[in-house]
Amino acid sequence: MEIKKNIRHLELEELKAYFESIGEKKFRMRQTWEWLWQKHARSFDDMSNLSKELRAKLEADFSLPALHINTTQVSSDGTIKTRFKTFDGHFIEGVLIPTEKRQTVCVSSQIGCSLTCKFCATGTMTRKRNLDFDEIVDQITLINEQSEKIHGKKLTNIVFMGMGEPLLNYKNLLKAVERISSNDGLGMSPRRITVSTAGIAKMIKQLGDDDVKFKLALSLHAATDKKRNEIMPINETNNIESLVEALNYYYEKTNSEITFEYILFKNFNDSLRDADDLIKLYRQVPADLINIIEYNPIDGSRFAKPDEDATFDFMNYLGKHRVNARLRRSRGKDIDAACGQLANKS
């Protein structure tokens, strides 16, 4: 049986050529494109201003495998975790994080993850496959609808910090960002999009060569190879020296913002000596900010959150050394929606 092509994988010119081939007028093609990328149709039947005959023809020739919401959970702090079901029966999660000034969505790029970071629930899952770019866009549009319905506000920021490693799904990442930021899509400024990576040096350089406009965050979590190897196996093939080189190359090419993310683990990376190592690394890269992140417990992990005094001392030490650091309090911990907790638990 012939597999039908996903209609959202057609470029505008390809869709135009198809409509010409079936003798349809150009404005019908434009209406269809709007349904796909501005009105976010979930099926051909949703395209109500097209004739039944045309909708039937489109359904006969193409597929439209959209994400659908499976479950939602609301945290006591207002964070909302949504589990989505893919057309082939897999599950992924996205999170809406509302504040007074921002409506941020945290989205996934893969079904599962292959990096096995020792502190991350997603790292305990098998990677099933990459998400297609239209599935990434679906997460964002559905959570944008959620934000408008509940808060009366559109999304203001997008962070690729959910399930999976975005740079191991490079083409779909860039295509999703293109659709999100295009005028005939969501029209989101790339400067309001942050892509978080565990650190793949050659792909960070590729971002520079492609002159991307979004922000980049490095999930660092340890400032020496010895400690980083222990918690992030990816560091064995992408050590800190190679990442420093790649980040400087990226910044030289793009002049785009770089952030370090650093989860504090009790009695592992929270001493003042660890802070010194972090400061030395910070000085080697044109990073704008270090986000110090609260650790969120996951099943089977040996790590724990430091006490408040240790966290205060660490932050105070960074401040005394003129490091731009911010303590990021966790959101959605009670529904397993916080950083590192996404694992399709309901």
Side-chain angles (χ1 to χ4, degrees):
M1 187 178 72
E2 184 181 355
I3 298 175
K4 292 188 285 188
K5 186 176 180 67
N6 182 343
I7 192 170
R8 292 193 293 185
H9 289 185
L10 296 181
E11 298 291 346
L12 183 60
E13 287 303 311
E14 292 176 297
L15 191 65
K16 179 180 177 183
Y18 168 78
F19 270 76
E20 288 175 351
S21 74
I22 63 172
E24 280 288 343
K25 295 179 180 177
K26 188 175 180 179
F27 79 93
R28 293 297 185 199
M29 178 276 296
R30 178 58 63 179
Q31 287 176 325
T32 303
W33 186 261
E34 288 175 354
W35 276 112
L36 295 174
W37 298 115
Q38 291 179 291
K39 297 178 181 178
H40 312 297
R42 299 275 176 267
S43 71
F44 294 109
D45 283 341
D46 288 344
M47 302 178 182
S48 54
N49 60 354
L50 304 184
S51 68
K52 286 185 178 180
E53 292 77 16
L54 179 53
R55 280 180 275 167
K57 175 64 174 168
L58 290 173
E59 186 150 18
D61 291 343
F62 299 105
S63 64
L64 182 49
L67 282 191
H68 293 278
I69 291 174
N70 178 254
T71 60
T72 57
Q73 291 175 274
V74 182
S75 167
S76 58
D77 63 23
T79 299
I80 302 174
K81 181 174 74 172
T82 301
R83 183 166 67 184
F84 300 99
K85 188 174 184 179
T86 65
F87 74 96
D88 53 351
H90 295 298
F91 295 98
I92 55 167
E93 293 178 334
V95 181
L96 174 63
I97 308 164
T99 66
E100 285 187 14
K101 295 182 179 179
R102 293 184 176 187
Q103 298 290 111
T104 300
V105 58
C106 175
V107 297
S108 297
S109 56
Q110 296 179 309
I111 300 170
C113 188
S114 59
L115 297 189
T116 65
C117 297
K118 305 306 180 188
F119 50 85
C120 178
T122 312
T124 66
M125 303 170 66
T126 303
R127 188 192 74 83
K128 301 296 185 183
R129 65 172 175 84
N130 288 333
L131 290 174
D132 284 335
F133 73 90
D134 48 308
E135 294 176 306
I136 296 172
V137 173
D138 275 348
Q139 288 177 78
I140 295 163
T141 55
L142 285 166
I143 293 179
N144 186 54
E145 290 170 9
Q146 198 176 69
S147 179
E148 288 187 294
K149 181 178 179 180
I150 296 169
H151 299 285
K153 299 175 183 177
K154 293 181 182 291
L155 294 174
T156 60
N157 297 81
I158 299 168
V159 294
F160 283 81
M161 296 182 184
M163 302 167 72
E165 166 53 57
L167 299 191
L168 291 180
N169 190 12
Y170 192 84
K171 289 183 179 179
N172 283 306
L173 167 69
L174 262 57
K175 185 68 176 177
V177 170
E178 176 195 320
R179 283 279 93 229
I180 294 160
S181 56
S182 67
N183 289 332
D184 60 355
L186 285 179
M188 174 76 74
S189 168
R191 300 295 184 188
R192 292 185 173 271
I193 300 171
T194 300
V195 173
S196 176
T197 177
I200 303 167
K202 70 175 184 178
M203 301 313 299
I204 293 172
K205 287 184 175 181
Q206 187 64 52
L207 290 173
D209 289 337
D210 288 333
D211 194 24
V212 299
K213 302 303 180 187
F214 51 73
K215 299 175 182 179
L216 185 65
L218 175 68
S219 293
L220 183 64
H221 311 315
T224 65
D225 283 325
K226 183 177 183 299
K227 287 194 174 184
R228 203 164 188 265
N229 286 346
E230 192 174 334
I231 60 173
M232 301 179 73
I234 188 68
N235 196 71
E236 294 173 9
T237 51
N238 293 265
N239 65 17
I240 289 174
E241 182 181 359
S242 71
L243 293 176
V244 167
E245 180 191 358
L247 289 169
N248 278 288
Y249 181 89
Y250 164 84
Y251 185 80
E252 181 184 330
K253 292 284 188 176
T254 67
N255 201 35
S256 292
E257 186 174 311
I258 298 170
T259 300
F260 283 162
E261 296 169 315
Y262 190 95
I263 299 174
L264 282 182
F265 303 113
K266 185 175 183 178
N267 299 328
F268 180 75
N269 67 350
D270 62 341
S271 71
L272 297 189
R273 182 173 179 178
D274 292 311
D276 267 328
D277 290 333
L278 181 56
I279 291 165
K280 289 174 187 174
L281 184 54
Y282 176 75
R283 302 285 186 227
Q284 297 176 56
V285 176
D288 295 82
L289 174 70
I290 302 176
N291 272 325
I292 304 298
I293 303 170
E294 289 185 313
Y295 175 62
N296 302 301
I298 64 169
D299 294 341
S301 173
R302 65 181 175 89
F303 295 108
K305 177 183 170 182
D307 59 39
E308 287 295 320
D309 287 343
T311 301
F312 175 82
D313 289 344
F314 195 93
M315 292 297 300
N316 192 47
Y317 192 82
L318 295 180
K320 282 183 178 178
H321 287 79
R322 298 182 181 180
V323 172
N324 184 23
R326 178 178 60 196
L327 180 61
R328 204 171 82 196
R329 298 291 184 183
S330 293
R331 300 284 303 275
K333 285 187 287 188
D334 56 328
I335 57 169
D336 292 319
C339 181
Q341 290 186 318
L342 298 185
N344 287 333
K345 291 172 67 178
S346 57

